[in-house]
Amino acid sequence: VYFYIYLPAVTNHGESITVPELKGMNLEELETFLTHHDLRYTVNDSAYSSEYPPLAVLRQFPQAGSQVKINRVIYVSLNRITPPTLPIPDLVDRSLVNAEVVLKSIELKRGRIYYEPSPFRNLVKEMRYEGKKIEPGTRITKGAIIDLVVGDGNGPADFKIGNLLGDALETAK
């Protein structure tokens, strides 16, 4: 009687509902939505993504489409209110390709590229954040846009030349 009648009745044996997709949903609407679907939630973790607004669901367990029992707890990971900060790496005197890879790996975005006269093509000369020069090690928010000043490979734009009048051709060259 216990195993065949009481236990299946108490545990809702054979009854299940499909877990809805919660990714991107705001915390305020999450509680109402899950209550309507006979589910509960608990915040398991927080992380940061610039693609979602603060307090939006980034991940959930069990995943959307899973079959669960009524009143199951769904564990969610929410987007942080303030983005984390990180130190800017030293990209000066490195190649543009290397700088782009490093920025992407630490979740910073490359902004505009400004070319300045230099004998070295695509060598990073300076980093800028919000239009101002930034030094390596300065803490900035994750997802920030970093502009790079790089060499154009043409050398100096102007240089002084002495008076060549009266000099031999070989000397002038």
Side-chain angles (χ1 to χ4, degrees):
V1 172
Y2 177 78
F3 288 108
Y4 294 106
I5 297 174
Y6 175 74
L7 198 55
V10 171
T11 61
N12 298 326
H13 182 68
E15 297 177 25
S16 65
I17 55 174
T18 304
V19 176
E21 176 65 56
L22 304 175
K23 193 171 186 177
M25 190 176 290
N26 192 320
L27 182 61
E28 292 176 3
E29 59 186 326
L30 179 66
E31 186 166 356
T32 307
F33 183 78
L34 287 180
T35 303
H36 178 71
H37 284 82
D38 295 323
L39 294 168
R40 298 176 295 153
Y41 79 96
T42 187
V43 177
N44 189 30
D45 192 13
S46 68
Y48 181 74
S49 173
S50 59
E51 298 175 16
Y52 293 97
L55 299 178
V57 176
L58 297 177
R59 290 183 297 275
Q60 71 184 68
F61 181 80
Q63 299 296 325
S66 301
Q67 296 294 316
V68 296
K69 295 195 182 264
I70 294 172
N71 281 330
R72 167 72 194 262
V73 174
I74 308 296
Y75 297 94
V76 295
S77 177
L78 297 179
N79 199 16
R80 293 175 59 166
I81 294 173
T82 56
T85 61
L86 53 101
I88 185 93
D90 188 3
L91 303 176
V92 176
D93 293 334
R94 297 183 184 211
S95 72
L96 176 61
V97 172
N98 176 263
E100 289 174 333
V101 168
V102 170
L103 289 175
K104 186 176 182 180
S105 72
I106 60 173
E107 297 182 44
L108 293 174
K109 297 176 185 163
R110 183 194 50 89
R112 295 188 62 189
I113 296 176
Y114 298 96
Y115 287 97
E116 285 188 354
S118 169
F120 306 106
R121 182 167 177 76
N122 291 333
L123 182 74
V124 177
K125 297 173 69 177
E126 182 180 303
M127 301 176 294
R128 294 181 185 166
Y129 175 62
E130 296 178 343
K132 297 180 182 115
K133 182 178 178 181
I134 187 169
E135 296 297 324
T138 305
R139 294 195 74 84
I140 58 172
T141 59
K142 200 180 237 187
I145 299 172
I146 304 298
D147 298 327
L148 299 173
V149 178
V150 298
D152 63 3
N154 295 326
D158 58 346
F159 51 90
K160 292 188 179 214
I161 188 166
N163 186 359
L164 301 177
L165 291 176
D167 286 348
L169 178 61
E170 288 302 313
T171 306
K173 285 183 183 176

Coordinates of all heavy atoms in Angstrom, one line a residue, residues 61-99:
F61 N 19.3 26.1 -14.2 CA 19.4 24.6 -14.0 C 18.2 24.2 -13.3 O 17.9 24.7 -12.2 CB 20.7 24.2 -13.3 CG 20.7 22.7 -13.2 CD1 21.2 21.9 -14.2 CD2 20.3 22.0 -12.0 CE1 21.2 20.5 -14.1 CE2 20.3 20.6 -11.9 CZ 20.8 19.9 -13.0
P62 N 17.5 23.2 -13.8 CA 17.6 22.5 -15.0 C 17.4 23.4 -16.3 O 16.7 24.4 -16.2 CB 16.6 21.4 -14.9 CG 15.8 21.6 -13.7 CD 16.3 22.7 -13.0
Q63 N 17.9 22.9 -17.4 CA 17.8 23.7 -18.6 C 16.4 23.7 -19.1 O 15.6 22.9 -18.8 CB 18.7 23.0 -19.7 CG 20.2 23.0 -19.3 CD 20.8 24.3 -19.2 OE1 20.4 25.3 -19.9 NE2 21.7 24.5 -18.2
A64 N 16.2 24.7 -20.0 CA 14.8 24.8 -20.6 C 14.5 23.6 -21.4 O 15.4 23.0 -22.1 CB 14.8 26.1 -21.5
G65 N 13.3 23.1 -21.3 CA 12.8 22.0 -22.0 C 12.9 20.7 -21.2 O 12.4 19.7 -21.6
S66 N 13.6 20.8 -20.0 CA 13.7 19.6 -19.2 C 12.3 19.3 -18.5 O 11.5 20.2 -18.3 CB 14.7 19.8 -18.1 OG 16.0 20.1 -18.6
Q67 N 12.0 18.0 -18.2 CA 10.8 17.6 -17.6 C 11.1 17.5 -16.1 O 12.0 16.8 -15.7 CB 10.3 16.3 -18.1 CG 9.9 16.3 -19.5 CD 8.7 17.2 -19.8 OE1 7.7 17.1 -19.0 NE2 8.7 18.0 -20.8
V68 N 10.3 18.3 -15.3 CA 10.5 18.3 -13.8 C 9.1 18.2 -13.1 O 8.1 18.3 -13.7 CB 11.2 19.6 -13.3 CG1 12.6 19.7 -13.9 CG2 10.4 20.8 -13.6
K69 N 9.2 17.9 -11.8 CA 7.9 17.8 -11.0 C 7.5 19.2 -10.7 O 8.2 20.2 -10.7 CB 8.2 17.0 -9.8 CG 8.5 15.5 -10.1 CD 8.4 14.7 -8.9 CE 8.8 13.3 -9.2 NZ 7.7 12.4 -9.5
I70 N 6.2 19.3 -10.3 CA 5.6 20.6 -9.9 C 6.3 21.0 -8.6 O 6.7 20.2 -7.8 CB 4.1 20.4 -9.6 CG1 3.4 20.0 -11.0 CG2 3.5 21.6 -9.0 CD1 1.9 19.6 -10.8
N71 N 6.5 22.3 -8.5 CA 7.2 23.0 -7.4 C 8.7 22.7 -7.3 O 9.3 22.9 -6.3 CB 6.5 22.7 -6.0 CG 5.3 23.5 -5.8 OD1 5.1 24.6 -6.3 ND2 4.3 22.9 -5.1
R72 N 9.2 22.3 -8.4 CA 10.7 22.1 -8.5 C 11.4 23.4 -8.3 O 10.9 24.4 -8.9 CB 11.1 21.4 -9.8 CG 12.5 21.4 -10.1 CD 13.3 20.4 -9.2 NE 14.7 20.6 -9.3 CZ 15.5 19.9 -10.1 NH1 15.1 19.0 -10.9 NH2 16.8 20.2 -10.1
V73 N 12.5 23.5 -7.7 CA 13.4 24.7 -7.6 C 14.2 24.8 -8.8 O 15.0 23.8 -9.1 CB 14.2 24.7 -6.3 CG1 15.2 25.8 -6.3 CG2 13.3 24.6 -5.0
I74 N 14.2 25.9 -9.4 CA 15.1 26.2 -10.6 C 16.2 27.1 -10.1 O 15.9 28.1 -9.5 CB 14.3 26.9 -11.7 CG1 13.0 26.2 -12.1 CG2 15.2 27.2 -12.9 CD1 13.2 24.8 -12.7
Y75 N 17.4 26.7 -10.3 CA 18.6 27.5 -9.8 C 19.0 28.4 -11.0 O 19.2 28.0 -12.1 CB 19.8 26.5 -9.5 CG 19.4 25.6 -8.3 CD1 18.9 24.3 -8.5 CD2 19.6 26.1 -7.0 CE1 18.6 23.5 -7.5 CE2 19.3 25.3 -5.9 CZ 18.8 24.0 -6.2 OH 18.4 23.2 -5.1
V76 N 19.1 29.7 -10.6 CA 19.4 30.7 -11.7 C 20.7 31.4 -11.3 O 21.0 31.6 -10.1 CB 18.3 31.7 -11.9 CG1 17.0 31.0 -12.4 CG2 17.9 32.4 -10.6
S77 N 21.4 31.9 -12.3 CA 22.5 32.8 -12.2 C 22.2 34.1 -12.7 O 21.7 34.2 -13.9 CB 23.7 32.2 -12.9 OG 24.8 33.0 -12.8
L78 N 22.3 35.2 -11.9 CA 21.9 36.5 -12.4 C 23.1 37.4 -12.8 O 24.2 37.2 -12.3 CB 21.2 37.2 -11.2 CG 19.9 36.6 -10.7 CD1 19.3 37.4 -9.6 CD2 18.9 36.5 -11.8
N79 N 22.8 38.3 -13.7 CA 23.8 39.3 -14.1 C 24.0 40.3 -13.0 O 23.1 40.8 -12.4 CB 23.3 40.0 -15.4 CG 24.4 40.7 -16.1 OD1 25.5 40.4 -15.9 ND2 24.0 41.6 -17.0
R80 N 25.2 40.6 -12.7 CA 25.6 41.6 -11.7 C 25.1 43.0 -12.0 O 24.9 43.4 -13.2 CB 27.1 41.6 -11.5 CG 27.7 40.4 -11.0 CD 29.2 40.4 -10.9 NE 29.6 41.5 -10.1 CZ 30.9 41.6 -9.6 NH1 31.7 40.7 -10.0 NH2 31.2 42.6 -8.9
I81 N 24.8 43.8 -11.0 CA 24.4 45.1 -11.1 C 25.5 46.0 -11.6 O 25.4 46.8 -12.6 CB 23.8 45.7 -9.8 CG1 22.6 44.9 -9.4 CG2 23.5 47.2 -9.9 CD1 22.0 45.3 -8.1
T82 N 26.7 45.9 -11.0 CA 27.9 46.6 -11.5 C 28.9 45.7 -12.1 O 29.1 44.6 -11.6 CB 28.5 47.4 -10.3 OG1 28.9 46.4 -9.3 CG2 27.6 48.4 -9.7
P83 N 29.4 46.1 -13.3 CA 30.4 45.2 -13.9 C 31.7 45.1 -13.1 O 32.0 46.1 -12.4 CB 30.6 45.9 -15.2 CG 30.1 47.2 -15.2 CD 29.1 47.3 -14.0
P84 N 32.3 44.0 -13.1 CA 33.6 43.9 -12.4 C 34.7 44.7 -13.1 O 34.6 45.1 -14.3 CB 33.9 42.4 -12.5 CG 33.2 41.9 -13.6 CD 32.0 42.8 -13.7
T85 N 35.7 45.1 -12.3 CA 36.8 45.9 -12.9 C 38.0 45.0 -13.1 O 38.1 43.9 -12.4 CB 37.2 47.1 -12.0 OG1 37.6 46.6 -10.8 CG2 36.0 48.0 -11.9
L86 N 38.9 45.3 -14.0 CA 40.1 44.6 -14.2 C 41.2 45.5 -14.6 O 40.9 46.6 -15.2 CB 39.9 43.5 -15.2 CG 39.3 43.9 -16.6 CD1 40.4 43.9 -17.6 CD2 38.3 42.8 -17.0
P87 N 42.5 45.1 -14.3 CA 43.6 46.0 -14.8 C 43.8 45.9 -16.3 O 43.7 44.8 -16.8 CB 44.8 45.5 -13.9 CG 44.4 44.1 -13.7 CD 42.9 44.0 -13.6
I88 N 44.1 47.0 -16.9 CA 44.4 47.0 -18.3 C 45.8 46.5 -18.5 O 46.7 46.9 -17.8 CB 44.2 48.4 -18.9 CG1 44.4 48.4 -20.4 CG2 45.2 49.4 -18.4 CD1 43.1 48.3 -21.2
P89 N 46.0 45.5 -19.4 CA 47.3 45.0 -19.7 C 48.2 46.0 -20.5 O 47.7 46.9 -21.0 CB 47.0 43.7 -20.5 CG 45.7 44.0 -21.2 CD 44.9 44.9 -20.3
D90 N 49.5 45.7 -20.4 CA 50.4 46.6 -21.2 C 50.4 46.1 -22.6 O 51.0 45.1 -23.0 CB 51.8 46.5 -20.6 CG 52.8 47.5 -21.2 OD1 52.3 48.3 -22.0 OD2 53.9 47.5 -20.8
L91 N 49.8 46.9 -23.5 CA 49.8 46.6 -24.9 C 50.7 47.4 -25.8 O 50.9 47.2 -27.0 CB 48.4 46.8 -25.4 CG 47.3 46.0 -24.7 CD1 45.9 46.3 -25.3 CD2 47.6 44.5 -24.9
V92 N 51.4 48.4 -25.1 CA 52.3 49.3 -25.8 C 53.5 48.6 -26.3 O 54.0 47.7 -25.6 CB 52.7 50.5 -24.9 CG1 53.7 51.4 -25.6 CG2 51.4 51.3 -24.5
D93 N 54.0 48.9 -27.5 CA 55.1 48.3 -28.2 C 54.8 46.8 -28.5 O 55.7 46.0 -28.6 CB 56.4 48.4 -27.3 CG 56.9 49.8 -27.2 OD1 56.6 50.6 -28.1 OD2 57.5 50.1 -26.2
R94 N 53.5 46.5 -28.7 CA 53.2 45.2 -29.2 C 52.4 45.3 -30.5 O 51.9 46.4 -30.8 CB 52.3 44.4 -28.2 CG 53.0 44.2 -26.9 CD 52.2 43.4 -25.9 NE 52.9 43.2 -24.7 CZ 52.8 42.2 -23.9 NH1 51.9 41.3 -24.2 NH2 53.4 42.1 -22.8
S95 N 52.2 44.3 -31.2 CA 51.5 44.3 -32.5 C 50.0 44.5 -32.3 O 49.5 44.2 -31.3 CB 51.8 43.1 -33.3 OG 51.0 42.0 -32.8
L96 N 49.4 45.1 -33.3 CA 47.9 45.3 -33.3 C 47.2 44.0 -33.1 O 46.2 43.9 -32.4 CB 47.5 46.1 -34.5 CG 46.0 46.4 -34.7 CD1 45.5 47.2 -33.5 CD2 45.7 47.0 -36.0
V97 N 47.6 43.0 -33.9 CA 47.0 41.7 -33.8 C 47.0 41.1 -32.4 O 46.0 40.6 -31.9 CB 47.6 40.7 -34.8 CG1 47.1 39.3 -34.7 CG2 47.4 41.2 -36.2
N98 N 48.2 41.2 -31.8 CA 48.4 40.7 -30.4 C 47.5 41.5 -29.4 O 46.8 40.9 -28.6 CB 49.8 40.8 -30.0 CG 50.0 40.4 -28.5 OD1 50.1 41.3 -27.7 ND2 50.1 39.1 -28.3
A99 N 47.4 42.8 -29.6 CA 46.6 43.7 -28.7 C 45.1 43.3 -28.8 O 44.4 43.2 -27.8 CB 46.8 45.1 -29.1

